[in-house]
Amino acid sequence: MLVLGIDPGSQVMGYGLVERLARPRLVEAGTIKARAGQPLEARLAFLQAEFDLLLGQHPIEHAAIEHAFVRANVQAALVLGAARGIVLASLARRRIPVVSLMVPALRARFTGRLSATKADAAAAVGAALGIDTGGAPSDATDALLLALGCETGPLLVGRQGKKPRQSFVRSQRMPSRQARG
């Protein structure tokens, strides 16, 4: 089963595609980067177009997206909500079931430490997939963490579509899809 993890953002979107087998295997992971300085609507249009291309390249069965939470900056939460919206809409058009997961809780679960850092989580992702995550963008390793944690029971915040079966791919590349121009 192919599971896609998505760490949405309005400038950089991390993604991680994992095949769930007896031992999970990496299919593809990386980031989609919009050109800095562009208006929000232009960045979102670029991110959605690139994300749609990515979805068309793989027979994805389930997806996990980072759960949105609001801290002190409401404006940042609204922008993140727009980025999540393009991802959720693209997944819905393809009828890919999606769950919303809390990344800090996943970091704690995979590292065994409540105060786990992004680097700790990246190391745990590398160990789970048998790869070196050194130098990989944190957006991509967080997305892989989401894909790996798709079956985490109480860490599920929301669920749309069918419940994923418990079971995790082909190439081991970490590309960066960037805006051209």
Side-chain angles (χ1 to χ4, degrees):
M1 170 190 352
L2 292 181
V3 179
L4 177 66
I6 307 110
D7 183 1
S10 64
Q11 294 183 28
V12 178
M13 178 188 303
Y15 66 91
L17 186 59
V18 171
E19 184 174 28
R20 295 188 68 157
L21 301 166
R23 177 178 169 99
R25 289 190 302 144
L26 172 67
V27 177
E28 181 178 343
T31 57
I32 302 171
K33 296 180 182 178
R35 197 165 23 152
Q38 292 292 305
L40 175 63
E41 60 275 12
R43 293 192 318 263
L44 292 174
F46 173 80
L47 292 169
Q48 185 173 32
E50 290 295 311
F51 185 66
D52 284 340
L53 287 174
L54 175 69
L55 291 178
Q57 294 172 354
H58 303 282
I60 298 163
E61 297 175 65
H62 295 282
I65 189 170
E66 183 173 8
H67 178 67
F69 56 93
V70 179
R71 290 190 185 178
N73 190 339
V74 174
Q75 183 61 34
L78 291 171
V79 171
L80 177 59
R84 281 176 47 88
I86 64 168
V87 169
L88 293 171
S90 291
L91 293 169
R93 277 195 306 280
R94 287 183 165 73
R95 294 184 171 86
I96 298 171
V98 60
V99 294
S100 183
L101 303 174
M102 297 178 289
V103 170
L106 287 173
R107 286 186 192 138
R109 177 187 171 134
F110 278 85
T111 65
R113 294 185 18 237
L114 288 175
S115 60
T117 64
K118 285 183 176 266
D120 296 333
V125 164
L129 294 172
I131 60 171
D132 179 11
T133 57
S138 63
D139 297 299
T141 56
D142 275 357
L144 286 168
L145 185 66
L146 287 158
L148 290 169
C150 197
E151 279 290 292
T152 57
L155 299 179
L156 296 177
V157 174
R159 185 185 310 267
Q160 299 167 353
K162 297 182 286 184
K163 179 181 179 186
R165 293 184 303 264
Q166 189 169 11
S167 290
F168 288 98
V169 170
R170 284 179 265 186
S171 67
Q172 291 190 10
R173 57 187 177 139
M174 288 219 168
S176 176
R177 298 168 181 247
Q178 295 190 2
R180 290 143 188 81

